[in-house]
Amino acid sequence: MHRAVPPVISVTPSRALVDETFRVAVQNLPPGSPVTLHSLHRSEDEDLWEAFGHYVSDSRGTVSVADDFSFGGTYTGKEAMGLLWSMSPVPGSREGLRLRKKNVCIPQLVNISVYGGHVEEGFGERLPLASTLTERWHLGPGVRRIEISERGVRGTLFIPPGPGPFPGMLDMWGGGGGLLEYRSALLASHGYASLALEYFTAGELKSADKEFSYFETAFNIVREHPQVIPDRVGLFGLSLGSLMASYLAAESSVIEPRCCVCVSGGHLYPRGVFCYFCRHKLRVDEHNREIWRSINLPIPEDLSQKLDVGKINCPMLLVNGIDDQNWPTVECAEDMAHMMRAAGKEHLLTRIEYPDAGHLIEPPYSPHSRATKFIKDGVTVILLWGGQTKPHADAQEDSWRNILAFLQKHLYCTQNPKAKM
Amino acid sequence: FGLWSTKMFQEKKRCCVKLSVHPSRGLMDEKFTVLVQNVLPGFQLTVYAFYKCEGGYSWEAFAHYTASATGAVNVSEDPSRGGTYSGVEPMGLMWSLRPVPGSKSGLRMRKMNVQTPMEVTISVYQGHLTEGFVDQVPLAAVVVERWYMAPGVRRIPITEGGLTATLFLPSGPGPFPGLLDLWGGGGKLVEYRAALLASHGIAAMALDYLTPQITKETGKMVDYEYFEAAYRVLEQHPQILGSRIAMLGLSFGTSVTLRMAVYSQVIKLRCAVCISGSHVQPIDGSHLFVFSLLSFFSNADKTRFNEEQHVIWRDLLMPIPTDASLKVDVGRLRCPLLLVVGEDDQNWPSYESAMDEMMQRAGNEHLLTVLSYPNAGHLIEPPFTPSARASAFKTISNTPQTVMVLWGGEPVAHSVAQEDSWRKTLVFLRVNLYGGSQPGAKMKNLL
């Protein structure tokens, strides 16, 4: 029985960090054949995520995702990484999913396949012409992972390989709580000793009213580590974590961050419990997804309701999405700039704002979720984060590059903004 | 106070240096880029590679660089001014690895467990150092993983039919072309080349034919049936294309490959690759050829030694005989053949054998491609691992002995041969195994 020789699909590099690009290519196809490139990932929660693009092979029978156009699918155009950032849960999946890596010691496995024809659905029922596996890592080789449970502080510290000493980072996530290591693992893979901080239990937003000293102690744990350069420790926060970072930068008399990266954050700090839940201002959209952005609008004039950002003395990078539906981050950034200008600190501030990007601006090539499940004090709701997939993916890629350059400049004492990524 | 401020100064300097290797996790035959940044222009530094092999021995390589006007060193583009390699050598840190001073002699680097990566530490030191790396603190260090198996490649031990083998299947549904992978006279089941071939889309089976379980149990060497059984495993495998099977042999493995390609009634090869071997062997119609080959190749009279008392075995088959009963009749080959030979091969007369014009006389030379490398030695392996001009070799016989064998080859030329021949071997296999329905003609244009 004569069987046809299948095409050969390759992903180069086959093992990479999550923020590295790859080249997906197919060879040995008949010339001019319509094919579908497909990606499939089974998450740690056992959900399936997929993306696909429609291509036509050239006269040599090859398809190169980095060089050719996708004419349909979950992304279109020339998109080298489209098979990753345009992923979404497969039809029939549970609602409101968000892809987040929990165990960073093993890679994300993504199956990349090629199917004959321009397929729209039912990939699970078909046999691909060829497929290959690629590994996406948050943790670079040689990065050390150290569980921290001292002085009341809980988190995970990631130290880059080598003798050091290294610049340090305190890394804080947002209102979802729990302990998420993946961004710190990635930062360590780029040369920063980074502590992923757990500051409240997942789903218990009310318990986030931690003592200020908790964060100062966490910062000092990084600063005092023998492999960390004490005067080169920065702050990195997203959402609520971003607010914490700004608060520490403005108000702490104990710690002196070298610089601060604030993604999708703000400076509105109501006293006591983080009471976002002023019912009358809580909106929902047509799918009953909660929109929190207007809860704290308009930005109050009253100085007691916001951080005195004029007291900040370190460089700040604010990264926000203009379509953020969860927090009025752009309005906050505008007000922060105004306050810092008044205090003569404008030169410390860099603002980057991305049109059609949402709240969850994460490391690049991770899928965009416009709305996901969120546990609000024991109750599961769906929060609208905002953003449209392609512009949000662009924002993630561009902002990460900017963030690494910002950290390189302020923590690695280099003045080369054109450093290769 | 002085000591403290010196430490702070050194720490400040250290903190600036950025060292990166990309990709940080690569296949063994992939190149990487080593980049040092944020040093002062004109800064003198040493890039150092360190690897502790499975046998527990330490290997090192190093090179001296001077930073550019932008305060950077790019190992792929900048010349090394000295060390274990010089000039522009993107992968010099890998192929020029050598045992650290004081090591046991005669070492050869071979990874036997292909399921874990080779972990190499790449560091950068201040100044142009040639020794004492262990006693200095580097400015920076990173770890690089080098893999023989790509993600998704499946490793399947094969014991059916009395075989001692390992099959590596590429990832995906297949079906894939197949390949029988044979090493040389040292025996053992050596998997790394087959694993790498599977990472390139070929279902490759590494076969132990000198020291398989069955020989250990019965004391008898294998014969045609053993190789034919291995071939059948490939041919009948649901994920392998039975009409697209190749054979690749190095050294003694070449003898087997050529014998099977011409005389086996069962094995039908799509193409064959023969590295550092010869077609010279007694042809007597017997299937017990492995045993007779081992005897034929043990002619002590023609063994020579160099000044260091390393064994030179190349003369055993010289001069290339004219007697047809002493050579595989390669004029009868019906499939494309790629011969890879090193002109400084001190172990086999592979170059002279390649020049024997049997195929020209028979009229099938259009099937033959010869890659001949000046100053390359016998052990032409996949690229970017060190080669040894001589190493300890344990002979296969009733009274095995360990001798220091001279393989030949000058390090730079040999690493060039490995890199070039591997690339061309992959092209040859791709064209003949994945290509059109007719077996390919001469490869010259494609290579």
Side-chain angles (χ1 to χ4, degrees):
Chain A
M1 184 182 61
H2 175 77
R3 282 185 296 175
V5 185
V8 179
I9 187 166
S10 62
V11 178
T12 314
S14 52
R15 294 180 172 92
L17 289 180
V18 291
D19 60 355
E20 289 173 340
T21 56
F22 58 23
R23 295 183 64 86
V24 177
V26 188
Q27 293 175 296
N28 227 51
L29 290 164
S33 21
V35 292
T36 304
L37 271 290
H38 179 260
S39 60
L40 186 69
H41 169 66
R42 181 180 293 274
S43 70
E44 285 159 319
D45 297 324
E46 302 287 325
D47 299 298
L48 289 173
W49 293 67
E50 69 177 2
F52 58 96
H54 293 158
Y55 292 88
V56 180
S57 66
D58 65 12
S59 56
R60 291 168 308 153
T62 64
V63 170
S64 164
V65 173
D67 303 311
D68 300 343
F69 285 82
S70 159
F71 294 103
T74 56
Y75 66 96
T76 52
K78 199 191 286 196
E79 296 288 347
M81 305 302 288
L83 286 166
L84 291 184
W85 59 252
S86 75
M87 279 180 141
S88 64
V90 300
S93 294
R94 301 180 291 158
E95 236 207 331
L97 295 175
R98 186 175 167 190
L99 190 63
R100 311 192 83 183
K101 194 84 171 63
K102 296 196 196 89
N103 180 1
V104 298
C105 298
I106 57 173
Q108 254 173 349
L109 295 176
V110 182
N111 226 289
I112 309 277
S113 319
V114 56
Y115 292 81
H118 284 168
V119 181
E120 298 273 357
E121 54 183 2
F123 291 95
E125 284 96 60
R126 297 165 178 258
L127 199 62
L129 300 175
S131 78
T132 190
L133 200 64
T134 184
E135 294 180 1
R136 307 290 295 172
W137 290 81
H138 286 93
L139 203 64
V143 172
R144 281 158 290 160
R145 178 182 174 273
I146 303 160
E147 287 174 19
I148 299 290
S149 179
E150 63 181 85
R151 305 189 233 173
V153 170
R154 287 180 329 277
T156 312
L157 179 61
F158 291 90
I159 313 263
F166 309 100
M169 194 78 65
L170 181 61
D171 177 31
M172 296 166 289
W173 283 96
L179 177 53
L180 288 143
E181 301 182 356
Y182 59 93
R183 191 171 57 202
S184 282
L186 197 53
L187 287 167
S189 305
H190 285 280
Y192 302 94
S194 184
L195 173 63
L197 184 67
E198 180 175 4
Y199 58 102
F200 63 102
T201 322
E204 290 173 20
L205 192 50
K206 281 219 175 102
S207 76
D209 191 15
K210 268 258 184 305
E211 291 291 330
F212 198 51
S213 60
Y214 181 82
F215 300 90
E216 289 171 324
T217 308
F219 186 93
N220 282 332
I221 287 174
V222 178
R223 197 176 66 87
E224 290 158 18
H225 192 282
Q227 279 184 291
V228 173
I229 306 164
D231 63 342
R232 285 170 193 268
V233 181
L235 295 171
F236 197 127
L238 178 136
S239 192
L240 186 60
S242 174
L243 175 61
M244 287 317 306
S246 302
Y247 193 30
L248 288 163
E251 294 292 341
S252 176
S253 51
V254 169
I255 64 169
E256 272 183 37
R258 183 84 172 198
C259 65
C260 202
V261 177
C262 296
V263 181
S264 300
H267 62 321
L268 305 178
Y269 188 63
R271 298 202 156 270
V273 169
F274 302 115
C275 53
Y276 307 123
F277 313 117
C278 311
R279 290 250 158 233
H280 62 285
K281 286 202 179 170
L282 182 67
R283 287 174 31 224
V284 291
D285 70 357
E286 64 277 16
H287 301 291
N288 214 36
R289 304 184 291 201
E290 294 191 10
I291 302 168
W292 288 1
R293 76 181 316 283
S294 14
I295 290 172
N296 281 91
L297 283 176
I299 306 289
E301 296 281 340
D302 179 2
L303 292 170
S304 73
Q305 289 189 47
K306 50 190 182 180
L307 282 179
D308 187 358
V309 292
K311 287 158 79 175
I312 291 176
N313 284 317
C314 67
M316 304 276 288
L317 176 66
L318 304 187
V319 175
N320 296 311
I322 294 172
D323 191 43
D324 192 328
Q325 297 299 317
N326 185 252
W327 204 249
T329 53
V330 174
E331 290 88 336
C332 285
E334 187 62 46
D335 194 55
M336 287 166 80
H338 180 74
M339 291 172 76
M340 287 180 81
R341 194 176 307 129
K345 302 280 183 69
E346 197 181 2
H347 61 283
L348 293 173
L349 185 65
T350 307
R351 287 168 60 186
I352 311 181
E353 276 135 36
Y354 295 99
D356 292 324
H359 186 72
L360 300 174
I361 299 177
E362 301 227 19
Y365 317 128
S366 52
H368 163 249
S369 299
R370 189 167 161 77
T372 68
K373 277 196 290 231
F374 185 87
I375 300 176
K376 188 175 84 178
D377 296 316
V379 179
T380 302
V381 296
I382 304 272
L383 290 191
L384 187 70
W385 305 110
Q388 300 299 327
T389 298
K390 164 70 175 151
H392 191 90
D394 287 345
Q396 292 191 152
E397 189 177 347
D398 191 76
S399 63
W400 188 246
R401 194 176 46 78
N402 272 301
I403 287 166
L404 291 179
F406 176 82
L407 294 176
Q408 172 102 338
K409 176 177 173 181
H410 294 290
L411 297 178
Y412 261 101
C413 67
T414 180
Q415 294 290 323
N416 184 2
K418 293 202 222 30
K420 272 194 202 137
M421 299 295 289
Chain B
F1 180 74
L3 211 63
W4 173 82
S5 69
T6 307
K7 180 169 176 286
M8 287 297 286
F9 173 70
Q10 282 170 350
E11 283 185 352
K12 253 191 145 55
K13 240 194 321 199
R14 272 218 299 278
C15 99
C16 285
V17 179
K18 274 222 106 171
L19 171 65
S20 62
V21 180
H22 192 270
S24 53
R25 293 180 172 95
L27 287 181
M28 287 298 300
D29 61 354
E30 276 179 339
K31 291 192 184 181
F32 54 45
T33 303
V34 178
L35 204 56
V36 184
Q37 294 171 294
N38 303 345
V39 292
L40 292 170
F43 189 75
Q44 295 198 328
L45 53 87
T46 305
V47 182
Y48 179 79
F50 177 86
Y51 171 61
K52 195 160 194 175
C53 68
E54 285 170 341
Y57 301 104
S58 296
W59 297 68
E60 65 178 14
F62 57 91
H64 298 153
Y65 292 91
T66 302
S68 67
T70 53
V73 171
N74 182 336
V75 171
S76 298
E77 292 170 2
D78 301 343
S80 153
R81 317 237 176 232
T84 56
Y85 65 91
S86 60
V88 180
E89 294 288 354
M91 297 303 287
L93 288 165
M94 292 297 298
W95 59 253
S96 76
L97 282 167
R98 63 189 190 190
V100 298
S103 294
K104 183 171 146 174
S105 65
L107 292 174
R108 181 178 166 192
M109 188 189 289
R110 309 192 86 185
K111 195 146 197 330
M112 299 311 272
N113 179 0
V114 298
Q115 296 184 94
T116 58
M118 197 177 154
E119 284 187 17
V120 182
T121 303
I122 309 253
S123 349
V124 60
Y125 289 84
Q126 181 173 355
H128 286 170
L129 308 181
T130 52
E131 56 180 5
F133 293 95
V134 152
D135 307 314
Q136 303 249 11
V137 181
L139 297 173
V142 293
V143 176
V144 179
E145 291 179 4
R146 306 288 293 168
W147 289 82
Y148 279 108
M149 283 175 73
V153 167
R154 288 154 289 171
R155 177 182 175 273
I156 303 157
I158 303 284
T159 50
E160 69 204 69
L163 295 170
T164 301
T166 312
L167 174 63
F168 290 92
L169 286 177
S171 66
F176 311 102
L179 183 145
L180 210 49
D181 182 86
L182 306 178
W183 284 91
K188 299 193 284 196
L189 181 52
V190 182
E191 298 183 356
Y192 55 89
R193 192 172 54 203
L196 209 46
L197 287 167
S199 304
H200 287 281
I202 297 169
M205 181 192 289
L207 184 67
D208 179 1
Y209 61 95
L210 286 177
T211 55
Q213 199 54 31
I214 199 155
T215 296
K216 287 182 180 151
E217 284 165 8
T218 65
K220 285 160 68 173
M221 289 285 159
V222 304
D223 54 22
Y224 278 37
E225 280 71 46
Y226 186 81
F227 300 98
E228 288 165 352
Y231 173 86
R232 279 208 188 85
V233 169
L234 291 177
E235 195 203 13
Q236 289 163 6
H237 195 287
Q239 279 179 286
I240 297 178
L241 294 159
S243 62
R244 289 166 185 263
I245 295 175
M247 219 157 145
L248 187 153
L250 177 135
S251 192
F252 199 116
T254 288
S255 308
V256 175
T257 299
L258 291 173
R259 181 72 169 250
M260 292 293 107
V262 174
Y263 299 107
S264 168
Q265 300 299 313
V266 172
I267 294 175
K268 302 280 170 259
L269 296 179
R270 186 87 175 183
C271 65
V273 180
C274 292
I275 305 171
S276 299
S278 174
H279 60 315
V280 174
Q281 58 179 278
I283 308 294
D284 58 3
S286 160
H287 281 207
L288 296 168
F289 73 112
V290 175
F291 179 74
S292 67
L293 279 182
L294 276 174
S295 319
F296 185 76
F297 297 146
S298 324
N299 185 348
D301 297 344
K302 290 196 172 179
T303 302
R304 283 193 290 125
F305 297 85
N306 69 358
E307 320 81 71
E308 284 116 318
Q309 293 308 300
H310 297 157
V311 177
I312 300 169
W313 275 330
R314 75 183 322 277
D315 299 325
L316 263 52
L317 302 183
M318 292 287 279
I320 305 295
T322 46
D323 180 355
S325 71
L326 290 174
K327 303 192 279 195
V328 172
D329 188 2
V330 288
R332 284 167 52 179
L333 265 177
R334 289 291 162 264
C335 70
L337 173 65
L338 177 67
L339 292 185
V340 179
V341 301
E343 290 169 18
D344 190 38
D345 191 335
Q346 297 299 319
N347 192 245
W348 284 64
S350 43
Y351 175 76
E352 290 87 338
S353 303
M355 294 301 113
D356 190 23
E357 294 188 331
M358 284 181 85
M359 288 176 81
Q360 282 84 332
R361 287 192 292 274
N364 66 344
E365 89 224 50
H366 60 283
L367 295 174
L368 177 65
T369 307
V370 178
L371 299 176
S372 178
Y373 295 97
N375 297 319
H378 182 70
L379 298 174
I380 300 178
E381 302 215 21
F384 313 139
T385 43
S387 60
R389 192 168 159 75
S391 70
F393 180 82
K394 190 168 166 199
T395 60
I396 304 281
S397 71
N398 289 329
T399 48
Q401 42 171 327
T402 301
V403 294
M404 279 291 285
V405 172
L406 186 71
W407 308 113
E410 180 279 312
V412 178
H414 194 90
S415 93
V416 166
Q418 293 194 154
E419 188 180 341
D420 190 73
S421 65
W422 182 249
R423 184 178 60 79
K424 290 175 176 167
T425 297
L426 290 178
V427 171
F428 176 83
L429 290 172
R430 174 69 62 89
V431 167
N432 284 290
L433 294 177
Y434 270 97
S437 49
Q438 297 304 321
K442 242 191 186 143
M443 292 289 303
K444 276 224 162 89
N445 299 336
L446 291 147
L447 301 180

